[in-house]
Amino acid sequence: MATVKVKFRASSVADREGRLFYQIIHNRVTRQISTGYKLFPSEWDGLYAGGLLLNSKGKRHAYLATLKSRIAEDKARLECLVARLDRAGESYTAGDVVKLYLTPSNREDFFTFTRMLIGQLRQVGKTHTAERYVTVMNSFGRFRRENELLWEEVDSDLMVEYETYLKSRGVCPNTSSYYMRGLRAIYNRAVEKGMTVQREPFKYVYTGIDKTIKRAVPLKVIRQIRDLDLTLFPTMDFARDIFMFSFYTRGMSFIDMAYLKKKDLQGGTLSYRRQKTGQQLFVKWEKPMQEIVDKYNTNGTPYLLPIIRDMNADIRRQYKNAAHLVNDKLKKLGEKLGLTVLLTSYVARHGWASIARSRNIPLAIISEAMGHDSEKTTRIYLASLDTTSVDKANSRILKAL
């Protein structure tokens, strides 16, 4: 295994700065890499000892601090290259390490690696993971202003800066955690491939999942949504119909609605498997469901609802575009009704569960109806949907004081 050292060469002229260089030693052969970094001999003593000189002030102190950071990054990168060559199991020389370090094409940055990874995931059919990484990379790219990012620059300080950036733009903790967990997954893949060493850059940022405030609307709001005359607003009318279909089918998720096929409806029963869990559910077919299906022309497709319309186009992209359109129109519909809850397709699912609970429908039945794998999941789901009864109890206690 090659050894990497940081060396200082003093100037032959008194009171002049000397130069730093990196020394690569392998099989008793030594090669050097010039850095262009300049220091006075007294300053090198301070850096070599692991800290900045106490007597350095102002711009010089800032320069030394930056220099110390760059040296650490350069050395980390050289060590990564050595580790990669060692893993390859083939013989190499100190000159090979130098050549790799100085070759721009081998300075593979974070974004280049991520784009390559996304392409590989798509090739093996892992579309969902690929799309997640695209979302994460786009957000992180905006933070970086699309500047390249070498692996040795990915550290805990950078992740804290990114988290602060997300907070300043009103991103909620769960969304920030989603980005961080995606970046961590990409980073760990790079570590596995020997692109970088594990420096635990995510140890100071939040990567958990907060218990979110569940959003639901009461039955009277569901009626308002159903009874709105949206004849003059066809796209909003379509979004409302998808929302109501979800409610009618016990809170069916948008992706499950998108992939429903005509053959899934037989003998007055709609059967489907949840995309999320693979669990099979059966729904009794009711009149309002049929009214929505009859309203739209789906000839030429095997699908029950007009979400995926073009059989020659990318199906998943059509689903995602439709989801974006529906949620955008539902948001405007909610504003039109003056709702305090942000109206999305998911509110229909929350709404059905909340209303079922308020009608004293047993938890086991709600759990089965929603396709939860256990009642525990349903309890978590319902935990903060409706606190009316708790609030009433508290009011009674306060009035008794």
Side-chain angles (χ1 to χ4, degrees), residues 136-233:
V136 169
M137 185 177 70
N138 288 342
S139 172
F140 194 55
R142 288 190 292 272
F143 161 68
R144 288 284 303 172
R145 295 191 177 93
E146 307 303 331
N147 292 323
E148 75 168 21
L149 178 68
L150 299 179
W151 286 108
E152 56 267 26
E153 297 178 88
V154 181
D155 57 18
S156 58
D157 289 340
L158 180 67
M159 291 303 116
V160 169
E161 287 178 26
Y162 178 46
E163 186 177 58
T164 302
Y165 163 86
L166 292 173
K167 287 179 181 177
S168 71
R169 279 152 181 77
V171 174
C172 71
N174 276 350
T175 302
S176 176
S177 175
Y178 174 85
Y179 292 142
M180 292 298 177
R181 284 181 282 118
L183 287 174
R184 184 175 61 189
I186 294 168
Y187 181 84
N188 287 340
R189 284 178 181 256
V191 171
E192 289 173 3
K193 292 180 179 294
M195 303 301 301
T196 185
V197 294
Q198 181 59 264
R199 292 193 290 273
E200 299 184 1
F202 302 93
K203 59 184 175 181
Y204 298 125
V205 296
Y206 181 65
T207 55
I209 301 176
D210 275 351
K211 182 179 178 180
T212 57
I213 298 173
K214 303 299 183 183
R215 294 183 172 181
V217 291
L219 195 58
K220 66 178 183 179
V221 172
I222 299 293
R223 290 196 192 100
Q224 283 182 296
I225 295 171
R226 180 196 64 187
D227 297 338
L228 270 176
D229 183 2
L230 298 172
T231 308
L232 299 177
F233 308 96

Side-chain angles (χ1 to χ4, degrees), residues 15-31:
D15 299 326
R16 291 284 295 272
E17 294 172 309
R19 294 178 177 272
L20 286 178
F21 63 93
Y22 302 136
Q23 189 179 77
I24 316 299
I25 306 170
H26 187 53
N27 292 335
R28 298 182 181 179
V29 176
T30 301
R31 292 291 182 268

Side-chain angles (χ1 to χ4, degrees), residues 323-341:
H324 178 77
L325 171 69
V326 166
N327 282 322
D328 180 64
K329 295 305 177 184
L330 287 177
K331 177 183 176 182
K332 291 180 172 61
L333 182 58
E335 293 170 352
K336 184 182 181 73
L337 291 172
L339 301 182
T340 55
V341 169

Side-chain angles (χ1 to χ4, degrees), residues 231-301:
T231 308
L232 299 177
F233 308 96
T235 53
M236 193 175 287
D237 188 30
F238 168 69
R240 184 264 306 277
D241 287 342
I242 295 299
F243 179 93
M244 292 306 304
F245 189 89
S246 172
F247 184 81
Y248 295 149
T249 53
R250 309 188 314 235
M252 188 184 296
S253 68
F254 188 89
I255 190 169
D256 290 331
M257 289 189 288
Y259 287 98
L260 280 178
K261 293 189 174 180
K262 294 168 186 174
K263 66 179 182 180
D264 295 332
L265 177 58
Q266 294 183 19
T269 300
L270 179 66
S271 64
Y272 71 98
R273 289 192 180 275
R274 292 197 66 200
Q275 294 285 323
K276 184 176 182 180
T277 64
Q279 182 179 359
Q280 188 167 23
L281 298 178
F282 300 91
V283 180
K284 181 184 176 183
W285 195 247
E286 302 282 0
K287 182 181 177 181
M289 304 174 195
Q290 187 65 47
E291 288 173 348
I292 291 176
V293 170
D294 290 341
K295 189 173 175 179
Y296 297 94
N297 181 3
T298 57
N299 292 336
T301 81

